[in-house]
Amino acid sequence: MSFLVIGECVADIVRAPGVADRVHPGGSPANVAYGLGRLGRDVTLLTQLADDPAGRLIGDHLGSAGVRVEVGGVPDRTPSAIVGLDAEGRASYAFDIAWTLEAPLARPAPAPTHVHIGSIAAVTEPGAAAVRALVEEFRGRALVSYDPNVRPALMGDRAGAVPRVERCVALGDLVKASDEDLAWLYPGESPEAVAARWLGLGPALVMVTRGAEGSLAFTRRATVSADAPAVPVVDTVGAGDSFMAAVLHGLAPRTSAQLAGLGAEHLAGLLRRAAAAAAFTVARAGARLPDRAELDAAGAEFDFVVRHVRGS
């Protein structure tokens, strides 16, 4: 089982009142790749990194989890983000980033059995076109997952952003989004309504994270809701990526048809495991995702409720 993750690396410069700036390796796709590596998966990240201190920091960080890094073009500088934390550890972002991945791109060997895309790299041109072309090449031979991880400051106007996101949704077998993503993309619509819309575009499974309110999973036959465990929050950086990595780890290896057939009990287990991973991550600074042993321990420690809403 091999994973190919395509997307940006970002140096997160974490800034909080009364605390010196801290620089952490980040970028949603890079975090997912790192998380999969920490969970023992074979993973390659196709990205862009400059040969500068931030690029070397991120490269060493990914390498420590066994992630192979393939560079599709070298930018002038490694992308960065000022991450502002409020009193409750919630993060806001101000980006300095360009995404210029160009086709043709190197193909990993062996060919991946799962391709994951998301965030800035999936919708920001000119590189997004190369991402979609590669996904379309592997689609049907590999499971495809997508996390929009919406960054409003980089998405442009909503009317133009929604079709770009939905184009990626239609390429995916599994899509995960946060309630904040959905609120920006579809103001006033419920997660249930958006999940139904996205399932109609093609994915077999849609998941929605809701921070402290828990998470939801939707297929055409089942809907499951789970509470989030109560943990002290240091910051929320990387929480959604930790959730995503745990989901992908827990689903491997499956086909799209097998995703569509998952029942409520299996979805409940996925939500519980992924929520434990996210809780572990928010309890410490930066996108420090758990390894297999830490995730096993966290899953046993955290106590929360899984509610079967519909299905079997």
Side-chain angles (χ1 to χ4, degrees):
M1 179 76 192
S2 59
F3 288 83
L4 172 63
V5 180
I6 313 170
E8 73 274 3
C9 293
V10 178
D12 288 336
I13 304 167
V14 181
R15 186 165 293 168
V19 179
D21 287 356
R22 294 167 288 148
V23 180
H24 296 292
S28 176
N31 290 341
V32 172
Y34 176 77
L36 286 168
R38 293 268 288 166
L39 293 172
R41 293 296 181 177
D42 181 87
V43 56
T44 298
L45 175 67
L46 177 56
T47 191
Q48 292 190 298
L49 277 177
D51 184 15
D52 57 18
R56 291 188 287 274
L57 171 71
I58 293 170
D60 290 345
H61 170 74
L62 292 166
S64 73
V67 178
R68 291 184 298 275
V69 178
E70 295 287 345
V71 176
V74 179
D76 293 336
R77 60 187 179 281
T78 296
S80 64
I82 302 295
V83 183
L85 300 178
D86 66 14
E88 296 180 355
R90 290 186 297 254
S92 59
Y93 297 83
F95 290 94
D96 178 9
I97 186 169
W99 180 247
T100 58
L101 201 70
E102 293 182 0
L105 300 167
R107 276 34 176 188
T113 49
H114 190 120
V115 178
H116 175 73
I117 63 171
S119 196
I120 297 163
V123 295
T124 301
E125 301 298 352
V131 173
R132 291 192 301 270
L134 197 54
V135 171
E136 288 167 355
E137 177 182 328
F138 287 118
R139 192 170 180 238
R141 295 182 286 134
L143 203 69
V144 176
S145 55
Y146 171 54
D147 178 0
N149 194 42
V150 170
R151 301 304 186 198
L154 300 176
M155 296 288 282
D157 67 282
R158 183 181 291 108
V162 170
R164 296 199 304 274
V165 168
E166 291 186 347
R167 184 174 180 182
C168 293
V169 168
L171 290 172
D173 300 295
L174 160 63
V175 179
K176 190 278 291 183
S178 71
D179 53 355
E180 292 180 346
D181 294 337
L182 301 189
W184 189 84
L185 291 166
Y186 307 101
E189 292 195 37
S190 68
E192 292 79 6
V194 177
R197 179 201 302 260
W198 283 1
L199 288 170
L201 293 174
L205 174 60
V206 173
M207 292 182 150
V208 179
T209 57
R210 302 181 295 167
E213 300 303 312
S215 55
L216 299 160
F218 303 88
T219 67
R220 294 174 184 83
R221 59 178 284 191
T223 301
V224 174
S225 172
D227 290 348
V231 294
V233 176
V234 174
D235 66 50
T236 61
V237 177
D241 304 321
S242 188
F243 185 101
M244 184 88 256
V247 165
L248 300 186
H249 171 70
L251 286 173
R254 280 184 174 81
T255 65
S256 184
Q258 288 171 329
L259 291 189
L262 292 176
E265 290 289 344
H266 202 125
L267 293 171
L270 279 173
L271 290 180
R272 179 180 180 89
R273 189 81 164 165
F280 185 95
T281 300
V282 302
R284 55 186 185 180
R288 296 170 61 194
L289 283 64
D291 63 19
R292 183 73 175 270
E294 290 168 330
L295 181 55
D296 287 344
E301 175 185 355
F302 298 138
D303 181 27
F304 59 102
V305 177
V306 175
R307 296 187 177 87
H308 297 184
V309 179
R310 177 180 61 83
S312 59

